[in-house]
Amino acid sequence: MSMFRSQQMRFYSLYLPRDSAWTLMNKLGETSAMQLVDMNPGETHLNRPFAGMIKRIEDLEGKLKYVEQEMQKFKVKTRRGDNIDAFMRGLRAFLSLRGKTQQTFFDEIEAETEEKLKVLGQHVKMYESGVAKRNEWVEYKSVLERTKDYVLGLVGHGDVHASGEDVGVDFYAASGIRVSFIAGTIATEDTLRFKRMVFRVSRGNTWTIVTDIPPHKPEAGDAAHEEDNFLDIVDPQTGTAVRRSVFLVVYQGGAYDTMKSKLTKICDSFGAQRFNLPDSQKDYDAKMREIGKELGSTLEVLRGTRRQIDQILQTYSTPRFPDTGMSYLDELRLFLTKEKTLYHNLNLLRAWATYYEGYCWAPIEEEQNILRALTEAVRENPTIAGGKFVEEKKPHGAAPPTYFKDTDFMYPFQQVVDTYGIPRYREVNPALFAVITFPFLFGVMFGDVGHGGLFLVFASIFVWKADELKSNKALAGLLRVRYLFLLMGVFATYCGLIYNDFLSIPLNLFGSCYVRNEQQHAFDRKPGCTYPIGLDPKWHVSGNELEFINSLKMKLAIVLGVSQMILGIFLKAVNAIHFGSTLDFVFEFIPQLLFMCCTFGYMAITFFIKWSTDWAAGPGTQDAPSIIALFIDMFFNGGKVTKPLWGDGRDQESLQKSMLVIAVICVPMMLIPKPLILFLQHAMAPPARHDEHRPLLEEEMRGPGEQSRGPPPLPGAGGHGHGEEFDMGEIVVHSLIETIEFVLGSISHTASYLRLWALSLAHAELSKILFEKTIGESLVEGSVIGVFIGFTLFANLTMAILMSLDVMECFLHTLRLHWIEFQSKFYKGDGYKFAPFSFSAAIANIVDRETG
């Protein structure tokens, strides 16, 4: 089974002639079948052979980013695509039709982009300069229109004496007082602070008028371009609209006095644009005609420049590769990602005079695909030399990467496991068991037909409408875990049926097995009646409801916990058999299994014995033993039985004493033998022998005087093999820690499973309280309005607390039970993921990062 254990991997050597290395690697990257080993671990990235190419690619990515910013600025649409397979097919088709070597395409687009950006930069600079000039004329025009009445109204009452300054007008008004003007534009958001500052500096001896410049409304016959239709003021760099306001400051004094200097500094500090004001109606009219003429010529230049910019940007908006469904800019961006991935992996190879040498891991089933790719590369390019791909002996102590073929169904369960730790190569994968155990334990804590049904409906919609919802980026994360949610809903509903709980209301689906005895004010059980599934509804209205259900759920929690931990111990045996570790099987699996079964396994069995005994018809309920008391006597009184669980207690006492002795013996069995045997094996081991064999093909490809050093140290190399220092103290300490951890963990982990009971109780009681305090009281009183208001509160509180917070709480506790209590029994989790040389994976990472 591919999900029970990771894919089988083999170690291979790869030899590529220098002249054809790019072509061969380009073909291998499409297979997504091999993980190259870094042959130069001591080299920095800057000192590797293809660091220069990677730098060129990153520079070109920066230039394309600039193009993208300009397309956004000028509102040229781009089409992004997430169909990676379509892109790869379109790229192959495009490159095959070029009639040139595929490797030269990067040089071609680099030169093309450089040339276009040079022209684009000139036009953008010219356009920004034109926009700035247009802004200035629009602002000047607005200043004249909004200050004309004020200025000419005052000028008409006295003799004008122009100051000669480029801003302001000095004159004697009819009153004989000399006043001046400063006018200009300022950012709208700064107007209030500007007025306050002017007032404080002038001590109230100024008159400040501020009016906003409204957005321009286009008239019929305006040009097509947005900049022509809307003469709004915009930022030349970003193209975004900027709100500006006209200000007019009237103050007493001349052009050269102190007040003028202070006001000018205030204007400059706020980034205000100041303009000269005409001193007569004639000059106003002349200035307005001049502005209209200059504005018209500026807009004409902007039209032409914008057309040139649009023409260049449209070449990046139009698709060039066939059937990709994305703009050329996005095609180039993904192509550069592919090229960077290729050169990064070429840097992992060791360079010789005539060829590149490398080593890699690959799944066994992908070997033929890799060989086929190398053959196809040579067939498509007959002028190049082929490469060599040969299986090698795995280096001693090297751990292959872990590789599972993920599916949509298995993805969330594998992620749950991988978050804790990547499975060691070929060890049992806990994700396969988590498919059932994870949603089931969640359902034990969240069990309720109503809440579980809501969760099930929610998840079913996601499963049913998955293809339609994939376009919604906000739901992409939830879609990945839809099958986990579906099973969580199924098991929560199932456990709700077992508890006979529907939003805190018991369901009487099959009729109760109890009838009321009016004389004794109690319920009598119908002879031979068994409720078909779950709890009889009468338990929910009995006087000892909480006591009975608590006892049942607590015992079930221990039974489920002990069962899952014993499953984990058996999986340790499966791992030991697979890896041929007799020591782990004999001195870990067997004593751990015996210890667990003789202690808490026996406790779980006593529950069933007590449940299956009819104490009322036999010895009497007062003689039923307490399981807790039974175990206290077993461990602290040497197995002594006070109240027998079956028979007269002698057989039970003998059995308990025997199990207690076995449990005690298992502790030194786990602690002592394994370190001693490892020490003896190391002492009796023969001297280390090194494999000097190298493939003959390496000799054929190697140039004169060249020698291969073989693969570098690989991940996972280690242990206590030959040539490594054997530390007996470290082994003893490790064995001691594992023994103590298992013995104490058996107790703490069993107690930890009581969270199944605690959270199930909390969920049921919280649901009951919500119902009683919102709808229940109104139903008793018969208030329709109260029921309506109560139902609204009940629905909202249920969604906010039980369907949100409680779901998260139960999920996290289920996660903990799997990571700590279950996986600690067998799971190492110290592997590393198979990271293949893959163009599709690299591009998918980019797409996911941008759309996530």
Side-chain angles (χ1 to χ4, degrees), residues 22-32 92 342 372-374 376-377 380 837 839:
W22 187 94
T23 305
L24 297 173
M25 286 289 283
N26 186 57
K27 203 68 177 178
L28 291 173
E30 296 177 359
T31 64
S32 305
R92 285 194 294 269
L342 189 151
R372 190 181 303 112
L374 293 174
E376 289 179 359
E380 294 171 1
F837 168 38
F839 296 143

Side-chain angles (χ1 to χ4, degrees), residues 59-67 105-121 312 315-316 320 328-329 332 336:
D59 290 343
L60 188 53
E61 285 178 331
K63 294 174 182 177
L64 292 180
K65 186 67 177 176
Y66 168 75
V67 173
F105 183 56
F106 173 77
D107 298 326
E108 181 179 309
I109 62 174
E110 184 182 39
E112 176 189 0
T113 303
E114 187 70 32
E115 181 180 351
K116 286 184 177 179
L117 283 191
K118 184 177 180 180
V119 178
L120 179 64
I312 296 174
T315 61
Y316 288 99
R320 187 176 295 188
Y328 183 51
L329 177 69
L332 290 182
L336 293 181

Side-chain angles (χ1 to χ4, degrees), residues 206-357:
T206 58
W207 179 36
T208 304
I209 304 168
V210 177
T211 57
D212 294 342
I213 302 177
H216 174 76
K217 295 182 179 180
E219 300 177 358
D222 279 352
H225 275 298
E226 187 174 299
E227 282 72 15
D228 304 334
N229 289 342
F230 302 96
L231 295 177
D232 291 335
I233 302 168
V234 298
D235 187 330
Q237 302 294 326
T238 64
T240 56
V242 177
R243 297 300 307 276
R244 302 283 289 181
S245 298
V246 173
F247 70 87
L248 174 66
V249 180
V250 182
Y251 64 95
Q252 183 178 349
Y256 301 100
D257 63 9
T258 305
M259 181 62 69
K260 175 65 178 292
S261 176
K262 290 180 179 180
L263 293 176
T264 301
K265 289 180 180 179
I266 292 174
C267 292
D268 293 341
S269 67
F270 278 88
Q273 180 76 29
R274 291 174 290 146
F275 296 99
N276 184 33
L277 296 177
D279 52 14
S280 66
Q281 181 67 48
K282 179 179 178 182
D283 292 341
Y284 261 95
D285 294 338
K287 180 58 73 175
M288 291 295 289
R289 286 194 297 272
E290 178 187 351
I291 292 175
K293 181 179 179 181
E294 293 292 340
L295 186 58
S297 61
T298 301
L299 290 177
E300 193 64 34
V301 173
L302 284 178
R303 292 191 192 100
T305 307
R306 177 62 187 268
R307 283 194 295 269
Q308 296 295 326
I309 293 174
D310 284 347
Q311 185 176 356
I312 296 174
L313 295 181
Q314 284 297 332
T315 61
Y316 288 99
S317 177
T318 307
R320 187 176 295 188
F321 301 168
D323 302 323
T324 61
M326 60 184 71
S327 62
Y328 183 51
L329 177 69
D330 217 41
E331 292 173 343
L332 290 182
R333 191 172 53 85
L334 298 186
F335 170 75
L336 293 181
T337 299
K338 166 193 165 295
E339 287 292 289
K340 190 191 294 187
T341 303
L342 189 151
Y343 285 111
H344 271 304
N345 280 271
L346 276 174
N347 272 338
L348 300 179
L349 305 180
R350 181 182 294 151
W352 299 105
T354 58
Y355 73 101
Y356 292 103
E357 173 194 17

Side-chain angles (χ1 to χ4, degrees), residues 413-464:
F413 303 101
Q414 193 63 57
Q415 287 298 112
V416 166
V417 173
D418 290 351
T419 304
Y420 177 81
I422 306 300
R424 180 181 288 185
Y425 175 69
R426 298 294 288 168
E427 79 169 325
V428 172
N429 182 19
L432 187 63
F433 301 92
V435 171
I436 298 299
T437 60
F438 193 95
F440 176 70
L441 293 184
F442 172 86
V444 170
M445 292 182 277
F446 196 72
D448 187 290
V449 176
H451 301 143
L454 285 174
F455 208 84
L456 179 59
V457 170
F458 168 78
S460 299
I461 293 173
F462 271 68
V463 173
W464 181 33

